[in-house]
Amino acid sequence: MRMMKLSLLSLAIAGTTFSHAAFAEEAFSNLFTEGKPILDARYRFEHVDQDNALKHANAQTLRTRVGFQSGKWYGLSALIEADNVSRIGDAAYNETRNGQSEYSVVADPDGSEVNQALLRYDHQYGAAVLGRQRINLDNQRYVGGVAWRQNEQTYDGALAQLKPLDGLTLTYAYIDNINTIFGPSNGQYDTAGNPANIEGHSHLINAQYVAMPELTVTAYSYLLGLDNLLGNTQSSQTTGLRLNGAIQGVSYAVEYAQQKDYADNPLELDSDYYLAELGYTIKGVALKAGYEVLGGDEGPGNRAFQTPLATKHAFQGWADQFLITPAEGVKDAYVGATVPLLGGSLQAWYHDFRAEEGSSQYGEEINLSYAHPIPGVKGLVGLVKYASYDADDFAVDTDKAWLQLQYTY
């Protein structure tokens, strides 16, 4: 009954009523004849070397994704997609559920799971989606799919988008379950407190207006009820404003947000987020520099600014040292470049991490990667990637290296 009510609500939001006769005009078989299969395979070798008592981790995994995207019938469509993550060779790493706690973590647990299963309705004034789905909002700093890990993070709920005016997109989503990168659990217990599924009730509100090529304005409020994540201490209400665009070849982004406690969080939250970023592209070389601050907050418990549903690997360095913001907060000054090279793409980044409260210098990090299509095989891309974190006052020296092949049909 609940699913039926949500389906009717989704159609109502789209703003169109259909008669029985109107439906008969378009072939129902379009859902199948105009559909497309989904096939994706990603092999990865990941090496982790930390300056502590843990053994070096060496993980070989294969992520296989299969599914079907239907065609459309009067704007209606469906998608089903399943993933399998399999270990290749020895389990010489801690995948968070295999009990190999003497090794460093590579958070890619084995298992099979439905990644997406949804119904969608598209209209000239918007869209509605019901079911298990991928949600990536803006630059994924607050809500994303964490697609870098082998098991993608997806969301169970309903999403509606309205486009009442040119350039204006209004998005609302209700989420009652989050399928994290640490699932499926397969009956195994994760002693680090990383649930396979985050339970609770969350509301995502986002309004974006493209005023002109030089200015896009995005206002948002994300109310996250995350009942079983770290004792509910990650539940929060984050409200902010982002401005970005490009002026005479110079891109920019500035952003501010404030975070408060929400949904019976036992901690009293009150912290801020700041971002300032500039970019410039010359002869295909994209340069970027930025300064991002996730505020700390004094008091009992860790009350710093957190982003529990973000695609965190895309921020604060690829070594993933700040997946949970330290109590003193984080200031990240970074500079980098993306360079086309020999038919591929080379990236290089430098980060300097410091505490937002106090004078601690956490450490520095260097990131390098090179991606290139494999000649002769359409859809096959190779990647070599490296991250080196040099610790001062936070965590330990950490080196990570990846070799990856991904095929997408």
Side-chain angles (χ1 to χ4, degrees), residues 82-292:
D83 286 355
N84 171 267
V85 179
S86 295
R87 183 187 77 247
I88 300 174
D90 295 335
Y93 60 101
N94 178 8
E95 47 106 280
T96 74
R97 298 188 183 278
N98 61 357
Q100 301 286 76
S101 57
E102 69 270 27
Y103 291 94
S104 293
V105 170
V106 176
D108 291 323
D110 287 359
S112 299
E113 190 172 33
V114 174
N115 195 51
Q116 294 192 89
L118 60 89
L119 296 174
R120 181 182 177 94
Y121 176 70
D122 287 287
H123 186 270
Q124 63 176 330
Y125 292 117
V129 185
L130 178 67
R132 180 165 296 182
Q133 57 193 281
R134 179 181 294 122
I135 300 180
N136 294 317
L137 295 180
D138 301 324
N139 63 347
Q140 302 183 48
R141 191 62 184 100
Y142 299 106
V143 181
V146 200
W148 168 247
R149 299 268 37 119
Q150 296 286 57
N151 184 33
E152 185 180 19
Q153 178 169 279
T154 56
Y155 300 82
D156 296 345
L159 180 145
Q161 281 193 331
L162 292 178
K163 299 181 179 181
L165 303 171
D166 288 344
L168 178 62
T169 302
L170 306 176
T171 301
Y172 168 77
Y174 167 76
I175 307 300
D176 66 2
N177 181 67
I178 300 154
N179 311 283
T180 75
I181 65 170
F182 299 101
S185 65
N186 295 328
Q188 297 168 306
Y189 180 68
D190 178 6
T191 57
N194 299 308
N197 298 88
I198 301 175
E199 302 166 358
H201 304 282
S202 298
H203 305 269
L204 312 177
I205 303 167
N206 185 290
Q208 184 178 90
Y209 181 57
V210 182
M212 59 188 77
E214 295 81 8
L215 177 63
T216 297
V217 181
T218 306
Y220 52 84
S221 185
Y222 302 134
L223 288 72
L224 306 183
L226 310 176
D227 297 347
N228 62 326
L229 182 61
L230 297 179
N232 198 30
T233 60
Q234 298 284 293
S235 294
S236 63
Q237 177 177 339
T238 303
T239 303
L241 182 69
R242 177 182 175 89
L243 308 178
N244 66 283
I247 301 173
Q248 296 182 349
V250 177
S251 64
Y252 72 92
V254 292
E255 187 170 355
Y256 170 76
Q258 186 176 63
Q259 190 167 90
K260 300 285 189 178
D261 50 287
Y262 177 73
D264 297 324
N265 188 329
L267 301 179
E268 184 177 347
L269 305 184
D270 186 9
S271 54
D272 300 310
Y273 172 89
Y274 305 90
L275 172 72
E277 190 174 78
L278 287 175
Y280 184 67
T281 300
I282 178 171
K283 296 183 178 180
V285 177
L287 307 173
K288 185 176 289 186
Y291 186 67
E292 184 186 50

Side-chain angles (χ1 to χ4, degrees), residues 19 49 58 62 68 99 110 179 188 206 270 283 299 383 386:
S19 68
D49 179 357
N58 291 291
L62 176 65
F68 183 76
D110 287 359
N179 311 283
Q188 297 168 306
N206 185 290
D270 186 9
K283 296 183 178 180
L383 173 71
Y386 174 71

